[in-house]
Amino acid sequence: MNIIPGKTLKSFRKELWFNVPTRRAFINITPEVEKCLRESSIKEGFVLVNAMHITASVFINDDESGLHHDYDVWLEKLAPHAPAAQYRHNVGEDNADAHMKRQIMGREAVVAVTKGKLDFGSWEQIFYGEFDGRRKKRVLVKIIGE
Amino acid sequence: MNIIPGKTLKSFRKELWFNVPTRRAFINITPEVEKCLRESSIKEGFVLVNAMHITASVFINDDESGLHHDYDVWLEKLAPHAPAAQYRHNVGEDNADAHMKRQIMGREAVVAVTKGKLDFGSWEQIFYGEFDGRRKKRVLVKIIGE
Amino acid sequence: MNIIPGKTLKSFRKELWFNVPTRRAFINITPEVEKCLRESSIKEGFVLVNAMHITASVFINDDESGLHHDYDVWLEKLAPHAPAAQYRHNVGEDNADAHMKRQIMGREAVVAVTKGKLDFGSWEQIFYGEFDGRRKKRVLVKIIGE
């Protein structure tokens, strides 16, 4: 049961699951979030979309493959993966850089809902940013409003 | 009609428009957001303020010109504008760096509304951060509450 | 009175106070936020947790001391404290770098409330990030829902 029809507020909750085959990727999840919004039948309110993992991001930017390549190169410059031993966190794992990349790109997006739609500018799209993939991970979509 | 008086929740929506004559600028939009809050007559809830463009930010920090200069220098160091050709996104445009600067400074701020006021610490002010100006762009103010 | 039982929406507000003896520190505030949520008796909604100061962060990541050390080293590399004179903001103060570190780590976290709990993935924990301590500072917890 995703929709909880409260006395004063309607709320909706759904998890989106991913299993990215590579270490890093950017995936446009706007259609999935729009689907959640339609299912919720909420017309006015807020959508929260957040990574439930601490080595992944949810962010809003452009759906342009050149830019995604640039982001990947840039994040690797600001928070390099190798050498893994430069990070104290990397004892038995090698994902310290992913925890940093996620801070730059952010954990969550909050989006206004107006007349039943994501209230977006022309180029806004919601992305799942994976920085330590090759396993199942998830994103939470929570909508409150009426 | 900005205010939608729902059965269970009041909501308010307004766009703020900008046409910054330079490529980059920081503009204090706190008075405009406070004006929206007064118009909404919402006393308890949340305000979402977000850039509707993906080369601009909304963030909360200090209204101090020295700091804004420092931010500008720092962002240019972390994500340099030139040479434009270093970015794959820059095919027919030159704003890849603006997409990066925006990620560091953030897309949105969510602010608590308490007793009809922005619930702020002493020095918190809301800024529009422009990283690719010289054209009309906008910010969304969405308030939900009662 | 922290809880405001509105006609259409319940809201809760509380400040958490800190006086970090060092310049920088990361403090896990998840138990305090959970306590606020229990006090609010809100079952479905959103929690906003934000620094009320502009040289501090609230962010969500891992409670792992090696990672916190790595964050500290990394933030110091991206936004060095010294030399203080490199920043125009540092006239009579020396905390320009703290304003930058806070932008990377973020001002706020918005967390979903589901069935009366913080709707978290396995490793998500909420931190107060202090970048200019040795004085009293505070965090706002605001919850709306029902």
Side-chain angles (χ1 to χ4, degrees):
Chain A
M1 180 60 177
N2 295 320
I3 307 174
I4 298 182
K7 282 178 212 153
T8 63
L9 197 73
K10 201 182 279 181
S11 67
F12 174 93
R13 179 195 192 277
K14 195 168 195 174
E15 294 176 4
L16 309 178
W17 284 83
F18 304 90
N19 195 342
V20 172
T22 49
R23 185 183 296 272
R24 292 198 293 270
F26 298 120
I27 297 168
N28 190 337
I29 60 173
T30 316
E32 281 80 5
V33 177
E34 287 171 335
K35 197 174 164 228
C36 288
L37 185 52
R38 285 193 301 272
E39 282 179 34
S40 77
S41 78
I42 288 172
K43 300 301 178 198
E44 296 291 324
F46 285 170
V47 183
L48 169 69
V49 190
N50 69 266
M52 299 185 81
H53 298 255
I54 52 191
T55 51
S57 286
V58 168
F59 67 94
I60 290 174
N61 217 295
D62 196 4
D63 197 0
E64 199 279 296
S65 63
L67 180 67
H68 295 182
H69 169 85
D70 295 333
Y71 273 144
D72 194 51
V73 170
W74 177 66
L75 290 168
E76 187 58 21
K77 195 176 69 175
L78 293 185
H81 177 69
Q86 74 190 293
Y87 302 112
R88 284 200 195 165
H89 179 64
N90 287 341
V91 176
E93 46 189 342
D94 68 351
N95 66 2
D97 65 300
H99 290 272
M100 288 160 191
K101 288 166 170 129
R102 120 69 169 256
Q103 288 308 121
I104 289 179
M105 299 305 275
R107 167 188 179 262
E108 76 215 13
V110 178
V111 182
V113 176
T114 301
K115 296 180 183 167
K117 307 268 186 182
L118 298 178
D119 198 334
F120 266 164
S122 309
W123 301 101
E124 289 189 282
Q125 295 283 306
I126 310 173
F127 289 88
Y128 174 65
E130 177 62 85
F131 305 114
D132 187 37
R134 300 166 303 181
R135 55 197 170 99
K136 285 181 74 179
K137 291 166 83 170
R138 60 197 164 125
V139 159
L140 178 64
V141 180
K142 180 94 184 187
I143 313 175
I144 66 169
E146 69 159 1
Chain B
M1 180 61 179
N2 296 320
I3 307 174
I4 298 183
K7 281 181 213 151
T8 62
L9 197 73
K10 202 182 280 181
S11 66
F12 175 94
R13 178 194 193 277
K14 195 168 196 176
E15 293 176 5
L16 309 178
W17 284 84
F18 304 90
N19 195 341
V20 172
T22 50
R23 186 184 294 272
R24 293 198 292 270
F26 299 120
I27 297 168
N28 189 337
I29 60 173
T30 317
E32 281 79 5
V33 178
E34 286 171 337
K35 197 174 163 228
C36 289
L37 185 51
R38 284 192 302 271
E39 282 178 34
S40 78
S41 78
I42 289 172
K43 300 301 179 199
E44 296 291 324
F46 285 170
V47 183
L48 169 68
V49 190
N50 69 266
M52 299 186 79
H53 297 258
I54 53 192
T55 52
S57 286
V58 168
F59 67 94
I60 290 174
N61 217 295
D62 196 3
D63 196 359
E64 200 279 297
S65 63
L67 180 67
H68 295 181
H69 169 84
D70 294 335
Y71 274 143
D72 194 52
V73 170
W74 178 66
L75 290 168
E76 187 59 21
K77 194 176 71 175
L78 292 185
H81 177 69
Q86 75 189 292
Y87 302 113
R88 285 200 195 165
H89 180 64
N90 286 342
V91 176
E93 47 189 341
D94 67 351
N95 65 3
D97 65 300
H99 290 272
M100 289 161 191
K101 288 166 170 130
R102 121 67 169 257
Q103 288 307 121
I104 288 179
M105 298 306 276
R107 168 188 179 261
E108 77 215 11
V110 178
V111 181
V113 176
T114 301
K115 296 181 182 165
K117 308 267 186 182
L118 298 177
D119 198 335
F120 265 164
S122 311
W123 300 102
E124 289 189 282
Q125 295 283 304
I126 310 173
F127 289 88
Y128 175 64
E130 177 62 86
F131 305 115
D132 187 37
R134 300 166 303 180
R135 56 196 170 100
K136 285 180 75 180
K137 292 166 82 171
R138 59 197 164 127
V139 159
L140 179 65
V141 180
K142 181 94 183 188
I143 312 174
I144 65 169
E146 69 158 4
Chain C
M1 181 61 179
N2 296 319
I3 306 173
I4 298 182
K7 281 180 213 151
T8 61
L9 196 74
K10 201 183 280 181
S11 66
F12 175 94
R13 178 195 193 275
K14 195 167 195 176
E15 294 176 5
L16 309 177
W17 283 84
F18 304 89
N19 194 341
V20 172
T22 50
R23 185 184 296 272
R24 293 197 292 270
F26 298 120
I27 298 168
N28 189 337
I29 60 173
T30 316
E32 281 79 6
V33 178
E34 286 172 337
K35 197 174 163 226
C36 288
L37 185 51
R38 285 193 302 271
E39 283 178 34
S40 78
S41 77
I42 289 172
K43 300 301 179 199
E44 295 292 324
F46 285 170
V47 183
L48 168 68
V49 190
N50 69 266
M52 299 186 81
H53 298 256
I54 52 192
T55 51
S57 286
V58 167
F59 66 94
I60 289 173
N61 217 295
D62 196 3
D63 197 359
E64 199 279 296
S65 63
L67 180 66
H68 294 183
H69 169 84
D70 295 334
Y71 273 144
D72 193 51
V73 170
W74 178 65
L75 290 168
E76 187 58 22
K77 194 176 71 175
L78 292 184
H81 177 68
Q86 75 189 293
Y87 302 113
R88 284 201 196 165
H89 179 64
N90 287 342
V91 177
E93 46 189 341
D94 67 351
N95 66 3
D97 65 300
H99 291 272
M100 289 161 190
K101 287 167 171 131
R102 121 69 168 256
Q103 288 308 120
I104 289 179
M105 299 304 276
R107 167 187 180 262
E108 76 215 12
V110 178
V111 181
V113 176
T114 301
K115 296 181 183 166
K117 307 267 186 183
L118 298 178
D119 198 334
F120 266 163
S122 308
W123 301 101
E124 289 189 282
Q125 295 283 306
I126 310 173
F127 289 89
Y128 175 65
E130 177 61 85
F131 304 115
D132 187 37
R134 300 167 302 181
R135 55 195 170 101
K136 285 180 76 179
K137 291 167 82 171
R138 59 198 164 126
V139 158
L140 179 64
V141 180
K142 180 94 183 188
I143 312 174
I144 66 170
E146 69 159 4

